[in-house]
Amino acid sequence: MDNNREERCIICGDRFDEDDEKIYCPDCGAPMHKDCYEMEGSCPNTAGHKGDGNTSGNRLFPDGNGCEICGKPFEENDERVYCPDCGAAMHRLCYNMTHQCPFESSHTPRPSTNRMTRKVNGKPMCDKCGKELDNGEEKVYCPVCGTPVHKSCWDMDPVCPNESRHAEGFDWEKVNQKPEQSPANDFYNRRSFDPAAYESFPDMIESHPIISPESGEELTCRGVKQKELVHFLGMNNFSTPRFFTLFMNMANGGKVLSLNLSAWFFVPLYHYYRRMTGPAVILTLATFILTVPSLMYQVLFFRNMNETVVPDLQFSSIVTITSYIMIIFRIILLLFNDYFYMRWSVSKILSLRERYKDASPDEYYAALERKGNPKMLYVLGGISLMLFLVYILNVFLSYTGIMQ
């Protein structure tokens, strides 16, 4: 009530912004949003309008040209304020001395609203007076739905702002106290803190885990806690933030597809690097088997390069088929490898959790890093296996005489 900008709409209780279209009741001068008035159809202070023996009928200056407290007309330079409920005009100094409108006892209580508690700067506000709930004033709670309002507001109008929603089982806490987050499809956009305040990504996740918008609890990756996942992916690995984000999106947002060019170009060496030993060995054998016909065809081609030998059509068909299968195989890895990696990581973490259930947390997390942190040493092991298979193929070709 310090100035016109501090006025509140008598219908919704919100402060007026500069762009709001504001009107005043022609009878009592109460300020309202034009939209609110059109929705309500009338001023809430109808009981205090002229002819009812109330408010404007008792004013010393019905035209608003004088102070209703001291009874003096306004001078040109007088600083004046207006009651947000009835529109009564007053000197600022007079109001500062009394802190109330002289017609306060005649004010019509503001009507209850069906809206859920609004927020100012992200903080809940009282739906009766429009001020922040946590402003130091004592609060009371509706015994039916738990809606909080200031005690002074409740004493003036003991009606819950959400009374019309009681029949449908409205619960204020469930609707208003959960984090305002979108689904877990892009968790970076939902963070309300500064990542630069943390020394590392793992430290950030451990100190500020992602919370589920539905339950208010920490989101998990198929039952795996975020701290476990970060330790398994590698505390100091540069790719941990990427895979952590992907895994959380896949587990909680239903995402399955993602592009992994490394899985396309470096199969199966990439899987050795990721410590996916079992799948990597299977991929090694599969790619080797699919590549053998093409290798044999090339050996035969170069051997008979200077001879007029017609290639075996049946063998050529086998080479073509295996080549197409290999391309399809790589496309699947390109699109689904990250999803397979997530499923494999979760199974390994759950297995380690069961194995170390009686160990200390430090031992458990150390085991997670040991088993999941990527290592180039495993790539060397994969290369050795591939060279061994090539050696076996060479021996076989020599033994059968194909290389002769």
Side-chain angles (χ1 to χ4, degrees), residues 126-311:
C126 176
D127 257 333
K128 289 185 174 291
C129 69
K131 298 178 182 178
E132 290 185 10
L133 280 169
D134 299 322
N135 63 351
E137 296 185 44
E138 185 179 356
K139 297 191 293 289
V140 295
Y141 299 82
C142 172
V144 178
C145 67
T147 297
V149 294
H150 295 126
K151 185 177 185 300
S152 58
C153 298
W154 184 268
D155 291 340
M156 291 178 60
D157 180 24
V159 178
C160 173
N162 294 303
E163 184 179 26
S164 63
R165 306 191 65 187
H166 289 172
E168 61 187 57
F170 174 74
D171 188 317
W172 186 92
E173 185 174 359
K174 287 183 178 179
V175 174
N176 292 273
Q177 296 294 63
K178 65 183 182 181
E180 294 182 347
Q181 299 174 350
S182 57
N185 289 331
D186 189 1
F187 81 93
Y188 283 116
N189 292 335
R190 307 191 336 275
R191 292 195 171 278
S192 57
F193 61 91
D194 180 13
Y198 298 89
E199 294 182 359
S200 64
F201 179 82
D203 177 51
M204 182 175 69
I205 293 299
E206 186 171 350
S207 303
H208 200 111
I210 306 167
I211 303 301
S212 167
E214 287 78 23
S215 64
E217 300 177 351
E218 177 184 337
L219 277 175
T220 64
C221 180
R222 292 179 171 261
V224 171
K225 294 183 178 180
Q226 296 172 34
K227 183 178 179 180
E228 294 175 303
L229 186 58
V230 169
H231 275 78
F232 186 81
L233 292 173
M235 294 289 285
N236 300 311
N237 192 279
F238 70 93
S239 63
T240 294
R242 174 186 180 271
F243 282 107
F244 178 89
T245 307
L246 275 174
F247 289 5
M248 295 302 293
N249 288 340
M250 289 174 175
N252 298 283
K255 184 176 180 179
V256 175
L257 294 177
S258 66
L259 292 178
N260 191 321
L261 295 176
S262 297
W264 167 277
F265 287 111
F266 303 109
V267 57
L269 298 181
Y270 174 76
H271 301 83
Y272 284 106
Y273 173 71
R274 284 288 158 192
R275 306 283 293 276
M276 302 172 66
T277 311
V281 171
I282 295 174
L283 289 173
T284 302
L285 297 175
T287 54
F288 179 76
I289 292 172
L290 292 173
T291 306
V292 164
S294 178
L295 291 174
M296 294 180 64
Y297 184 83
Q298 292 179 39
V299 169
L300 292 174
F301 175 80
F302 285 109
R303 175 188 170 190
N304 301 316
M305 227 170 98
N306 298 322
E307 301 178 14
T308 57
V309 178
V310 179

Side-chain angles (χ1 to χ4, degrees), residues 231-232 275 352 356 363-373 375 378:
H231 275 78
F232 186 81
R275 306 283 293 276
L352 288 170
Y356 286 86
E363 290 179 307
Y364 171 54
Y365 288 118
L368 286 176
E369 289 195 60
R370 256 193 337 266
K371 298 294 184 179
N373 198 7
K375 287 187 180 297
Y378 280 70

Side-chain angles (χ1 to χ4, degrees), residues 336-369:
F336 296 96
N337 188 84
D338 291 331
Y339 180 72
F340 297 148
Y341 183 30
M342 183 271 291
R343 296 289 299 265
W344 178 84
S345 298
V346 167
S347 65
K348 291 292 290 185
I349 293 172
L350 294 178
S351 175
L352 288 170
R353 182 195 292 175
E354 180 64 23
R355 187 187 308 175
Y356 286 86
K357 61 181 179 181
D358 297 325
S360 65
D362 290 340
E363 290 179 307
Y364 171 54
Y365 288 118
L368 286 176
E369 289 195 60

